[in-house]
Structure formats: structure tokens, C-alpha cells
Amino acid sequence: VQLIAVFQTSGQHQCLDTVIKRKYFIVSHPIPDFKVSSQIGCTPFPAVFSDSTKYTPGTQRDTLLWQFGDGSSTASLASSIMHVYAKDGVFNVKLVAKDWNGCKDSIFKPAYVQSRKPNAFYQVKSLNACIGQQIFFSNLSVGSTGLFTNWSFGDGDTAATFHGTHAYKAVGSYTARMVVFDSTGCSDTMIKVITVTKPTAAFSLNDTLAICPPLIVKFTSTSTNAVAYTWDFKNTGSAAIANPSSTFSAPGVYNVQLIVTDAAGCTDTARHNVRVLGYAGAFDYPIKSGCVPLTVNFTSNIVGIPTITWDFADGTTEIGVGFSATHTYLYPGVYVPKLIFSDGGTGCKASSVGLDTIKVDAVIAGFEALPPCEKTQIQLIDTSFSYFSAMKAWKWNFGNSGAATGNPVNRTYANAGKYPVTLIATNAQGCSDTLADSITIYPLPLVVAMPDTSICVPDALYLTVEGAKTYFWQPPNDLSCTNCASPRANPNTAISYIVTGTDAHGCANKDTVNIGMQTKATFKTNGDGTICLGDKIQLFAAGATLYDWTPPESLDSPKSAHPLASPKVNTTYIVTGREGSCLADTHLVHIVVRPLPTVNAGSDVKVIAGKTTILQASGSGISGVLWSGDSSLSCYTCFAPEAKPRKTTTYYVKAYNEFGCTSTDSVTVFVLCDGSQLFIPNTFSPNGDGYNDRFFPRGDGIKLITSFRIYSRWGELMYERKNMEVNDESGGWDGIHNGRILTPDVFVYVIEANCESGAPLLFKGDVTLLK
């Protein structure tokens, strides 16, 4: 609204002067709308609401009153606000928007936000259990959607089943934790403490060794927390008291077993060996450990024994010819040798087991490279296995690229590929092994962040990146998260964000996003264009968020970034682009509409099959024409081509003008079949003079002679030919019947044919055979 005020003043001489003041009034009305970062979330649910109210040009947002549906409301000047829903439920949201003029309106969205929280609950039969006992964890959780369950049993074991089963392997108190998730990812947790107990079985023996049987042994239980005892002496005897005794009447090694049970029904087992030998004896070996192959000398101090047998415990035995033996161990392991004695008379035998274990040591070389990435310092870490001694020394050889010692060692490879590595690993015993292998070096991931951009204060945007598995953004300034793929950035000054992406191999690479600040929306269009009348053209705008095209009458979507335009006259479109809180910008797009040529293909015509006709195109504004229809046209770019169709055909002519605009018209040529196309002679003279020796049909516009028959005057079939071409003299009748030339006479012919159009024809008549 424009108000004009005119003021006039006059001096003492009555001279006049005028001042005009203009005042502009803006009549405004906001059209409220808003969006939420997510309509569904987990309790407590931090929902971010963004104002998308459309304000009358010349005004801006003044105050936003948010009513979140959970009994709370907030008045804010910002374009976005975060509200945390502390309870689960479905909530209505209302926004009242007021502009600078104090004008306001509201929008109400029912059931717009849902805050979810499942309720975790499970039961077990008892909170007390034994080692190895299967415990069933019954899941009774409830939630608004289907639930997924993760179990952590407190001893490092986990499960992802709905109900859980688990057996504990050691005594202790374990915190069994159940976490349930719904389809939204919302979770709840319940924990219970499971106590696992067991008694401790132990016992002592008054004697464990005899040269020859019988041997009477007294057993004394030293178990704790036991209320019941079960003895198995392995000599077919047993007992159920705390301190029994048993007689071992045969030679052997008896692994006596005691099972004790506590008040909870849990059990534990203890074992001791009882040896019933024969003659007493012993032997010695000075070497107790070494690297494979290890040679050991054995010496016995027992004398007066008729027969001895050396058992080296690696599957090899040797009949002794003296009181010493030598044996070489070829495989790593632990070995307890044995010397077997025999009296050679009564059959009483005894065996003496070595007092020390022989440890045959060895190394199996191995290594790993972390991280195995190009252009990155990697660590080659020894993973060699030593049977008994700790690893002590490492020698590395990298082929043409050098050597190193120690563990770990650092290397850098400029390019991805396979590289040779040889490791000689040595343990403290001096045992060594050599591994010649290769390592695979992987390329760095191609981390591609979004293009550089700019935003308006106080707007925000979501950063994006791809090419890796995990990401880390720096600096953390104004970012909603630093370890996600798409953090929300809300800087108030120009800034550069560096993102580090790491792939499945642990290889990392970086990219940078530069964020600039702007005050005015900037965007671009695809420029001016030209179309033919009746055609459409795709308009294009990019760089802003909201668009408004005018005039809208010839546009399919005036609010779209890419509306489809179909103007009938030359039109200049004005597009206004808006981006967040930036000032709007405007561009012009000129579309020129070219006229169409007019073309007339002429009236439909009729022709006899086999004949030609002239087509005629006419019109105005024509630069050239192009005919189509079939291959019978004499030319395709002339105005009056000659057509000779075989059947009824519609021909199309496309006319184009200097601008490339086209118009099309058509004409149909109806092909008729009336029999005039066929000429049949009434005489022929098969006398061999090369002239008129055969009787056959001639003509044009005939597709096929389906049947050609000749009869005598008495109805006898003299000649027949099927499916022959017209004008085919070789298929005609030469006057011969049954191998002889007939005398002059009059004969009757019947001809059945098809026109080029497919219409059938029937011809009957007579022909005279002359000499």
C-alpha cells in the first residue's frame, strides 16, 4: 500500500513550493510450517524442529511458539529448536509463527512425533548355579515394535537370541545383562547377578608306590564344602565315606578319583595316582630341554636286573644291552621316559618313570602387518609360536628393499601390491625357524567428501562423505558428532572440516570440506532456450533450496527446481531462489517459441495394382520435406514423388522450416485389383519357331498365379501348374499332353491369382492351338 502526502508552502510573495512524501506499508501474513529431524526416536528423544514458515517478502521471522504435545512449550527466535521427550508416547505438535509486523498464524500436526522405549525383563529359575550347569534366561520383555535381544553373561560370552542359555565355567558372581532393542534402535537393559559355586575336592594317601602287589593304601579327604563323597579306586572298589582304605592287588597305575558334592548339588573331582611296581629302580638323564632334534643320553644306576627296556615316551622303545642308552627326539613336545625292569623268572616286573620331563623345544615363525596400507608406516609384528621358551631375536629380509632386526619393525610401502618378507625367528633356547612369505599392501580408500559450499548465518547443513567404513571429523567445532558419516554442522564463520575415513583393512585417507558464509542466495540456471510451437523445454535451477517461477501458466511445477515449460509465445521466466536465511536472488530465462510450418499431403487416391501415382505436398514456411511409407517412392525429399505401392499404403510427409520445427500430414493410396492387370493371349503356336511357342499369363500388379489349368473341350485336364510367377514363359503350356504335341484345337483355361494387395482373382476363357 502506498501513501502519498503533498505539502505546499507560500512565502510573502505567495510563491508556492511542494514536497511529496511517500510511505509504503507491507501487508503480511506468515504461512507456518515446520519439519522435524526425525519423527520417531528413542526415549529420551532429542527431536530437532526446524521452522519452514513462508514469510511475506519484506518481512522476517519474529517469534516462534512451539507446543510439543507433552505439556511443554517454548518461545524462540531461532529457526530451529531441540526438545527432549522424556517419556515414551505419540505427541501432537503445534507451531505459532509471528513475523516482524506482529502478524501470526499457527499449524497443528497430530500424532507427529513418537518417542519409543522398550521394557527389558527376564527371569531365571535360580540365581545360584554350578559350574557347567545350563541356565535358561527367559525373556519377558515388551515393546511397541518387534524386539531384538543381546545377552552379556558376565564372563565374556554373549548371545543374540531372544531367550538365552548359558553355562559358567568358573566359580564367582557374574552380572548377566540383557539389552533389548526395538526396530527403531531404542533399547532397555536388565541385569541379574548369578552366583556360581563348587566344592573343592582334595585328599592325601599314606602310600603311593609298591614294587610288587599287594599294596594297602589309606585315603584321607582334605576337601572343603563337601557333604557327600564318592570314591572310585579304579581297582573295582569304591566307597562313600570321607576316609576309606583300599587294597591294590595287581601291578599298574591307578588314577584314584574322589568326587565331592556340596549342599547346592555342585561337584568337584580330585585324582591321585597309586603305582604298584615290581623291583625298585631309577635312571638319570642330564639333558632336560633343547631344540629339535634333541639327543639325550640315559644312564641307569640299577644293577643285577636280568632284563631292562628303555621307553623314550615318543613311541620308541629299546631293549637295553647295558646300563645306558642314547635317543634323538625328532618332534617338539614334552616326554617322560620310562625304564621297565623284569626279573626274568617269576614274572615280577617293575617300571621306573623319569623324574623330569624332557622338553623338546621348537619355533614356528609367523608375523602380521598392521595396518597393511600403502603410503602408511606399518608395523611388522612377530606372531611366531615357541613351544616352551620366550622369543628372543628376529631377523627380517625385505628382498631388494633392505633388512631389519627386532620386533616390531616399521616399514612404508609407496604402492599397493604384494611384497616378499622373510623372517628368521629365534627363541631364548636358541631354536629358530625361517618363514619366507609375502604381505599384501592395500590401497588407501578413496574418501570423497561433499563439494565445498557456503551457507547463511545462522543456518546449518549436514556434511556427507563416502568411500570408507568409519569416519572422524575435525575440528569438532559446531558439529553434532565427530565419528559419524553425516554430522550436522552449524558454523558461524567460514571453516574447513577435515574428515578421515578408515576402510575394513584399517587403511585411512582424508578429504576436506570448505564451508563459506554468505548473505544472499546464489544459484544458476541453464540459460535461455528455443523451442518449436507445441514443444516443451526443461528449465533448470541449482544452488538454492526453494524456487518460485513466474509466469506460472505454462509451467507444470512453478515451485520446482526443474519445471517443464510449454509456452505458446516468446516468454521471459523470472525465477526467485531462496536458501535458508539468505536474501533471495532472481534470474531471467528467455524462451523463444518458433512457428511451425504448414503442410498438406493432398487427398487420398486410388490406383490399379501395378500402376503409379504422383503424390503432391504443399504448404507454407517449408524449407524441406521428408516422405515415409514404403520403398516404392521415387524420392523421399521431393515435393511430388511417384508412388507405386503393392498394397494400400499411407504415406507420411514431414515438413520442416529453417528453425528445424516440423509438421506432418498423410495421404493414403488405395490399391485396387480388377483384373485389368492380367493379359491372356487367345492363340499360341507351339511349332518351335521361337515365337509364341508357349501359352502363359502376362501382366503387372499380380503377386502370384496360384493355379493355372487347361482343359479339353470335353473337360479332360491337359495341363496344370501351381504357384507360378506372372510373365513366366517357362511355366507356360507348350501344347504337349501325354508326351505328344496336340493337333490344332480350342482349349479352356482357368487361372486363379492374387493381386499385390492380396485380393484373389479368377480368369476363365479359351485359347486356340495353331500350327
Side-chain angles (χ1 to χ4, degrees), residues 205-402:
L205 305 82
N206 70 327
D207 197 359
T208 61
L209 179 65
I211 297 174
C212 289
L215 173 64
I216 300 174
V217 180
K218 293 182 179 181
F219 300 89
T220 303
S221 173
T222 58
S223 306
T224 58
N225 299 326
V227 296
Y229 306 86
T230 302
W231 295 87
D232 184 358
F233 302 115
K234 304 301 181 181
N235 61 357
T236 70
S238 63
I241 59 177
N243 305 311
S245 63
S246 182
T247 300
F248 297 89
S249 302
V253 177
Y254 299 88
N255 187 225
V256 177
Q257 174 181 285
L258 169 63
I259 300 175
V260 295
T261 305
D262 67 6
C266 303
T267 62
D268 190 27
T269 302
R271 295 179 178 86
H272 281 297
N273 286 333
V274 173
R275 301 175 183 272
V276 178
L277 307 175
Y279 296 100
F283 64 102
D284 188 32
Y285 37 97
I287 297 177
K288 307 299 189 297
S289 64
C291 300
V292 67
L294 177 64
T295 300
V296 180
N297 296 317
F298 299 90
T299 303
S300 172
N301 58 6
I302 302 300
V303 296
I305 304 301
T307 305
I308 61 173
T309 301
W310 297 94
D311 185 345
F312 303 110
D314 62 351
T316 304
T317 59
E318 179 181 304
I319 302 299
V321 295
F323 298 102
S324 65
T326 299
H327 181 68
T328 299
Y329 291 92
L330 301 177
Y331 303 99
V334 290
Y335 303 98
V336 179
K338 180 170 61 175
L339 186 57
I340 302 172
F341 308 99
S342 173
D343 64 359
T346 64
C348 182
K349 291 183 178 181
S351 62
S352 179
V353 178
L355 299 178
D356 298 300
T357 299
I358 298 175
K359 295 182 178 180
V360 182
D361 205 353
V363 171
I364 301 176
F367 64 88
E368 64 180 358
L370 298 173
C373 311
E374 66 177 359
K375 303 178 182 64
T376 305
Q377 179 173 287
I378 69 172
Q379 277 196 334
L380 292 163
I381 303 172
D382 173 65
T383 59
S384 301
F385 173 75
S386 176
Y387 278 81
F388 303 109
S389 303
M391 298 302 303
K392 184 177 181 180
W394 303 265
K395 292 183 179 180
W396 306 83
N397 189 302
F398 305 103
N400 296 330
S401 59

Side-chain angles (χ1 to χ4, degrees), residues 433-502:
D433 187 33
T434 300
L435 173 63
D437 202 351
S438 64
I439 59 174
T440 299
I441 301 300
Y442 295 95
L444 300 182
L446 182 59
V447 178
V448 180
M450 63 182 287
D452 296 343
T453 188
S454 60
I455 62 174
C456 301
V457 177
D459 292 345
L461 80 164
Y462 284 91
L463 308 178
T464 60
V465 65
E466 61 183 14
K469 184 178 181 181
T470 60
Y471 303 96
F472 180 71
W473 296 83
Q474 287 182 311
N477 307 33
D478 305 307
L479 292 180
S480 62
C481 61
T482 58
N483 58 353
C484 56
S486 184
R488 182 177 182 270
N490 189 21
N492 52 23
T493 60
I495 191 171
S496 295
Y497 290 108
I498 301 173
V499 58
T500 301
T502 304

